[in-house]
Amino acid sequence: MISVVLLGAGNVASHLFKAFFASEKIEVKQWYNRSLKTIDKYKAQVLVTDNLSTLVKADIYILAVSDDAIETLSKQLPFENRLVVHTSGSTSLYAVDMKQKRGVFYPLQTFSKAADLDFKNVPICIEALNKKDLPILKQLAEAIGSISHKVNSDQRQALHLAAVFVNNFTNQLYRMAHEITEMNGAEFDILKPLIKETAHKIESLSPYLAQTGPVLRNDKKTIKRHLKQLENEQHKAVYELLTKSIKKTHGIR
């Protein structure tokens, strides 16, 4: 059984705790947060604390905190030479204080506290300064049903950047589409099968080959009509930018 101490109480920490607690192969020995109010409701399930000096011994200490807090928190840990990992996609492995065994346990997924999440659908990117620490990180991922991927810091940061495009930016496009339908009295829900099929299609096709639409057809009349329809200048600017990008990608003039 792998013993874990969890530090932080944000979206990632909350989902990790639920997954760890449900696993028969993991013992969550303690949960730390600066404010006990956030984690006090879990005290019947796990030992909670807001005092770093009371941290118990464990196999892995997981810093599920904001990127800016990783370095400071790791320096404050009252022990050394233990496996301490952070969960950030964009922060260097070396942000963890050098007195510890340093690693990364990055779940590449979007996390919202109100939404349930099955870790079978969450790839875990793992990294360790000492290769000997990789097996336990892999075992930890497997214990919650995830598949682990050994990546270096540059690869992980590239994945995090790419994730912003496929998740955060795409979600903003969903929001714009929602505004367009609302403004014209149409039902956004009618678009949901298209959203699902678009995501499903790239399981068998590359995004390049999966591209369709008026830009790819070089349908100038439709593009012109769309731009005329768009009353919101932000929507129009995004439409023009993405149209230009698709044209350049596919060599359309």
Side-chain angles (χ1 to χ4, degrees):
M1 183 171 284
I2 303 170
S3 59
V4 169
V5 168
L6 189 60
L7 298 95
N11 290 348
V12 174
S14 298
H15 280 283
L16 282 177
F17 173 74
K18 291 177 183 177
F20 290 160
F21 188 78
S23 174
E24 296 180 353
K25 299 178 181 179
I26 301 171
E27 178 188 8
V28 186
K29 298 192 75 172
Q30 197 173 34
W31 194 351
Y32 163 87
N33 194 50
R34 287 183 303 174
S35 170
L36 280 180
K37 288 183 180 180
T38 312
I39 58 175
D40 195 54
K41 60 184 177 182
Y42 296 100
K43 64 184 180 182
Q45 297 170 285
V46 63
L47 179 65
V48 299
T49 184
D50 59 358
N51 187 346
L52 290 172
S53 66
T54 65
L55 293 181
V56 298
K57 191 171 183 179
D59 295 321
I60 307 174
Y61 297 80
I62 300 179
L63 308 183
V65 295
S66 66
D67 292 4
D68 293 340
I70 292 169
E71 186 173 352
T72 301
L73 181 57
S74 66
K75 286 180 179 178
Q76 294 174 340
L77 297 176
F79 47 74
E80 59 184 50
N81 202 33
R82 298 184 192 175
L83 182 54
V84 178
V85 303
H86 69 65
T87 60
S88 170
S90 60
T91 305
S92 169
L93 167 75
Y94 296 97
V96 177
D97 192 79
M98 64 185 299
K99 70 176 181 287
Q100 308 295 350
K101 298 177 182 178
R102 296 179 277 191
V104 177
F105 189 83
Y106 167 50
L108 205 171
Q109 189 53 273
T110 176
F111 292 91
S112 299
K113 282 187 177 179
D116 291 331
L117 189 64
D118 186 348
F119 271 81
K120 291 178 181 177
N121 301 316
V122 183
I124 307 288
C125 296
I126 60 173
E127 185 180 1
L129 190 61
N130 189 328
K131 292 181 180 180
K132 293 180 180 178
D133 294 321
L134 285 171
I136 193 170
L137 295 180
K138 182 179 180 180
Q139 291 169 23
L140 184 64
E142 290 174 346
I144 56 176
S146 296
I147 296 175
S148 64
H149 300 267
K150 179 186 171 185
V151 300
N152 61 37
S153 288
D154 289 342
Q155 292 168 334
R156 175 168 45 82
Q157 289 168 1
L159 284 166
H160 185 265
L161 173 58
V164 170
F165 278 82
V166 301
N167 177 242
N168 307 126
F169 290 170
T170 301
N171 196 65
Q172 178 63 8
L173 293 177
Y174 292 160
R175 174 56 189 155
M176 289 182 175
H178 193 270
E179 289 171 345
I180 290 168
T181 55
E182 278 190 326
M183 289 170 62
N184 292 277
E187 289 288 337
F188 177 78
D189 285 357
I190 297 173
L191 293 169
K192 288 182 178 178
L194 173 61
I195 292 170
K196 291 176 182 177
E197 177 58 23
T198 302
H200 177 70
K201 191 186 293 183
I202 60 169
E203 292 184 7
S204 56
L205 291 175
S206 71
Y208 180 87
L209 292 176
Q211 187 63 266
T212 62
V215 183
L216 197 67
R217 297 191 303 270
N218 201 19
D219 185 349
K220 295 178 181 179
K221 287 185 179 180
T222 297
I223 294 169
K224 187 176 180 179
R225 184 168 63 250
H226 283 170
L227 287 169
K228 188 176 180 179
Q229 279 181 263
L230 291 169
E231 299 176 5
N232 185 304
E233 289 302 317
Q234 184 185 23
H235 295 172
K236 186 174 292 187
V238 170
Y239 189 103
E240 289 176 328
L241 179 64
L242 292 179
T243 295
K244 184 178 179 180
S245 179
I246 294 171
K247 283 183 175 182
K248 185 174 181 179
T249 297
H250 292 270
I252 298 169
R253 293 184 179 181

